[in-house]
């Protein structure tokens, strides 16, 4: 049996996977609440002969499912969380919530998880049929959106057994990523001052809002002296009340700091902290700095990405045969101001942007933490028409379409074929680890979430 038989096997079984993905789409559960989604995965994986542990790394909606033994040990990273407020009917090209204020799969994680599952099931089928050794580990990773599920899992050593891990993300084109996503820290800065009458006794007051404003101004000046690929943004979460005649005794902001390389981010974090402390000193207030969560940058591994890209080029893209291209055209229309729809509403030519340079992607993902622990490769496949952005109602509307299903099938086939190639050419694993060590400058993995932070604390702090 060669990898082409596995590619066909997945195609034959595609309907089973489409059904599971649709079910996850319908439940649309947000971070740390993905109970039904986990149940559906567990039932499916049990049927496939995997042994399953739910409650991975203390995460109630995290799990891992394992099959086989010996080397290579290959991980498949699945996600299934939705986004709050993005409820949307499927298959319609107007914004129309399915449930008022409900959740929706705006990042396509209903497809992501099941596509990764197809990779795992395909690879298992290969090992089983060929009688080869190898361990297939499918990870149910909760709360990618705002919860850093994989970072908690990496902190607890869940990925330490792996030779490598594979995944993908729904996209509006077929591609290998152009560069790493950024390492990302979330921090709450809370200032405490002293209230007083702002007109009658201003000298008795110490303004926490002044401190917060001075901190923000300090950070604006800092921007000139940080790497151009770094990012700092904030939201004022407590401005100290609505009364200008009271000196504001409390004020707080939620900051996010991002940089292309995790060790560089620790340095930036300290610099922002110093500004906060300086602002507190200037205003005679106190500042509490609470680190909430972080994710590491992704480390790209050219040796693995090459294998995945070659499979992307070799495997025929089934989206071309999707039966609802007219719907895709309607979706594209909603995103083009002049309504002119390009002839090709899908961008299907595989791109290996990783080869053309190392351009950081100004976003973040908890896959970054896995990629510091073991070599990781992930592709993007076309599940959405051109111009469709993640986290949009259009992405939710496309989540059960035939073209989304077929983009997912394509991703599952690419992932399974990549695992098979690696299994038959173990020297790729050796090169991948060498590249991981080079790219991280031999820095050991340092989990950005400190040990005292639990998912429960994070949930309470960020919602
Ligand atoms: Zn997202
Ligand atoms: Zn996503």
């Amino acid at each position: 049996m060669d990898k082409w038989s596995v590619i066909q096997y997945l195609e034959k079984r595609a309907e089973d996977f489409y059904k599971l993905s649709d079910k996850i789409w319908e439940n649309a559960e947000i971070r740390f609440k993905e109970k039904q989604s986990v149940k559906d995965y567990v039932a499916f994986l049990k049927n496939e002969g995997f042994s399953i542990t739910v409650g991975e790394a203390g995460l109630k909606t995290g799990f891992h499912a394992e099959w086989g033994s010996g080397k290579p040990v290959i991980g498949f990273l699945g996600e299934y969380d939705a986004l709050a407020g993005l409820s949307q009917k499927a298959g319609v090209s107007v914004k129309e919530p399915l449930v008022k204020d409900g959740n929706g799969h705006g990042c396509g994680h209903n497809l992501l998880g099941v596509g990764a599952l197809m990779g795992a099931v395909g690879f298992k089928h290969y090992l089983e049929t060929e009688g080869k050794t190898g361990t297939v580990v499918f990870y149910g990773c909760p709360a990618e959106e705002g919860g850093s599920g994989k970072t908690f899992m990496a902190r607890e050593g869940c990925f330490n057994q792996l030779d490598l891990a594979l995944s993908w993300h729904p996209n509006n084109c077929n591609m290998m990523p152009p560069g790493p996503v950024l390492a990302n820290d979330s921090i709450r800065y809370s200032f405490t001052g002293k209230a007083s009458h702002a007109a009658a006794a201003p000298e008795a007051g110490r303004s926490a809002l002044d401190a917060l404003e001075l901190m923000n101004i300090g950070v604006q000046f800092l921007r000139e002296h940080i790497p151009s690929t770094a990012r700092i943004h904030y939201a004022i979460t407590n401005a100290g009340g609505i009364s200008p005649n009271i000196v504001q005794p409390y004020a707080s902001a939620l900051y996010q700091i991002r940089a292309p390389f995790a060790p560089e981010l620790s340095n930036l974090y300290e610099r922002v902290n110093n500004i906060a402390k300086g602002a507190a000193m200037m205003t005679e207030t106190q500042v509490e700095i609470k680190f909430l969560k972080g994710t590491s940058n992704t480390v790209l591994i050219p040796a693995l990405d090459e294998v995945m890209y070659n499979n992307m080029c070799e495997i025929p893209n089934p989206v071309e045969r999707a039966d609802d291209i007219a719907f895709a055209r309607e979706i594209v229309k909603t995103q083009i101001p002049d309504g002119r729809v390009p002839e090709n509403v899908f961008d299907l030519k595989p791109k290996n942007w990783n080869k053309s340079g190392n351009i950081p992607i100004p976003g973040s993902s908890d896959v970054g933490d896995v990629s510091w622990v073991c070599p990781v490769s992930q592709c993007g496949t076309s599940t959405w028409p051109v111009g469709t952005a993640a986290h949009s109602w259009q992405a939710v509307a496309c989540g059960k379409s035939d073209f989304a299903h077929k983009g997912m099938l394509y991703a599952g086939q690419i992932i399974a074929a990549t695992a098979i190639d690696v299994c038959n050419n173990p020297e790729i694993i050796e090169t991948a680890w060498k590249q991981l060590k080079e790219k991280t400058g031999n820095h050991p993995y340092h989990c950005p979430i400190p040990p005292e932070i639990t998912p429960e604390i994070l949930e309470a702090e960020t919602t």
Side-chain angles (χ1 to χ4, degrees):
M1 168 191 246
D2 59 11
K3 69 181 175 188
W4 290 100
S5 317
V6 174
I7 287 163
Q8 280 164 9
Y9 167 78
L10 290 175
E11 195 163 342
K12 267 188 220 135
R13 292 200 50 197
E15 278 303 325
D16 300 344
F17 294 99
Y18 297 166
K19 266 187 212 145
L20 178 62
S21 170
D22 288 355
K23 226 171 159 187
I24 308 288
W25 185 97
E26 278 150 24
N27 286 321
E29 296 164 307
I30 62 163
R31 62 167 177 261
F32 300 128
K33 297 196 164 66
E34 312 96 329
K35 284 195 191 117
Q36 187 55 46
S37 305
V38 170
K39 272 189 194 160
D40 293 336
Y41 269 100
V42 167
F44 194 101
L45 281 153
K46 258 193 190 149
N47 231 359
E48 298 294 321
F50 282 77
S51 51
I52 300 150
T53 315
V54 181
E56 191 81 344
L59 300 160
K60 288 189 200 91
T61 53
F63 68 91
H64 95 264
E66 208 168 308
W67 182 90
S69 62
K71 293 238 170 213
V73 185
I74 301 187
F76 299 82
L77 309 175
E79 297 168 13
Y80 31 74
D81 58 324
L83 287 152
L86 265 186
S87 175
Q88 165 65 33
K89 285 187 179 163
V92 297
S93 56
V94 286
K95 188 173 185 297
E96 204 183 334
L98 188 63
V99 180
K100 194 177 174 291
D101 301 323
N103 311 320
H105 268 288
C107 213
H109 293 179
N110 60 307
L111 303 163
L112 193 166
V114 178
L117 175 69
M118 292 181 94
V121 170
F123 184 49
K124 173 194 171 253
H125 179 68
Y126 178 77
L127 294 177
E128 203 168 24
T129 318
E130 288 287 294
K132 289 199 175 211
T133 59
T135 310
V136 188
V137 194
F138 178 81
Y139 290 89
C141 310
E144 192 280 325
E145 303 284 0
S148 303
K150 292 182 206 69
T151 313
F152 283 106
M153 291 162 81
R155 188 178 75 179
E156 303 308 316
C158 299
F159 306 109
N160 290 359
Q161 60 166 328
L162 298 180
D163 286 316
L164 60 105
L166 302 170
S167 196
W168 73 293
H169 202 288
N171 211 313
N172 54 27
C173 65
N174 295 314
M175 57 119 192
M176 298 308 297
V181 298
L182 307 178
N184 178 15
D185 285 345
S186 297
I187 312 111
R188 185 183 302 283
Y189 294 93
S190 306
F191 292 90
T192 309
K194 222 165 118 194
S196 79
H197 195 293
E203 71 284 357
R206 296 292 180 269
S207 171
L209 181 59
D210 287 357
L212 183 58
E213 288 193 83
L214 284 166
M215 178 190 172
N216 295 345
I217 289 167
V219 169
Q220 312 307 357
F221 280 97
L222 175 70
R223 284 183 205 282
E224 191 189 346
H225 308 288
I226 63 172
S228 55
T229 43
R231 295 283 185 276
I232 307 179
H233 22 252
Y234 59 83
I236 297 176
T237 48
N238 181 349
I242 55 164
S243 307
N245 60 348
I246 300 172
V247 173
Q248 287 83 359
Y250 307 108
S252 60
L254 191 58
Y255 262 75
Q256 286 194 318
I257 313 174
R258 305 184 203 235
F261 191 53
E264 177 182 36
L265 182 60
S266 317
N267 173 270
L268 264 183
Y269 169 60
E270 285 307 324
R271 292 172 76 190
V272 174
N273 284 354
N274 285 338
I275 290 174
K277 289 175 197 164
M281 192 187 279
M282 281 191 279
T283 51
E284 298 171 54
T285 58
Q286 277 85 48
V287 63
E288 189 202 2
I289 301 171
K290 184 152 190 195
F291 187 98
L292 295 176
K293 73 179 180 78
T295 52
S296 303
N297 59 289
T298 44
V299 183
L300 301 190
I301 305 294
L304 274 186
D305 284 357
E306 192 72 38
V307 180
M308 206 174 225
Y309 176 69
N310 289 341
N311 280 306
M312 183 181 272
C313 294
E314 281 173 32
I315 299 168
N317 188 324
V319 173
E320 284 170 276
R321 305 192 296 271
D323 63 15
D324 52 2
I325 291 185
F327 166 58
R329 296 187 76 78
E330 292 305 309
I331 285 287
V332 172
K333 265 189 209 165
T334 67
Q335 300 171 109
I336 296 179
D338 63 7
R340 270 188 298 166
V341 180
E343 200 177 314
N344 297 321
V345 286
F346 293 108
D347 183 359
L348 300 178
K349 191 177 179 316
K351 298 167 199 16
N352 195 358
W353 277 324
N354 187 0
K355 258 202 144 163
S356 56
N358 226 3
I359 309 149
I361 304 170
S364 302
S365 159
D366 59 8
V367 174
D369 291 89
V370 189
S371 79
W372 274 77
V373 176
C374 70
V376 171
S377 186
Q378 49 177 352
C379 60
T381 73
S382 165
T383 56
W384 303 323
V386 288
T388 307
H391 297 204
S392 63
W393 67 261
Q394 288 93 341
V396 188
C398 292
K400 287 165 86 180
S401 62
D402 190 40
F403 55 77
H405 286 157
K406 288 189 168 147
M408 175 179 85
L409 164 65
Y410 183 46
Q413 290 170 324
I414 293 168
I415 291 171
T418 303
I420 293 167
D421 285 346
V422 170
C423 178
N424 291 328
N425 303 281
E427 67 281 3
I428 299 170
I429 299 178
E430 221 174 282
T431 314
W433 275 92
K434 221 175 115 210
Q435 290 178 349
L436 175 62
K437 287 192 176 124
E438 278 164 17
K439 290 242 186 160
T440 53
N442 275 322
H443 281 278
Y445 171 60
H446 169 76
C447 182
I449 302 183
E452 65 275 14
I453 302 281
T454 63
E456 287 76 21
I457 289 176
L458 185 61
E459 200 183 340
E461 284 283 348
T462 54
T463 45

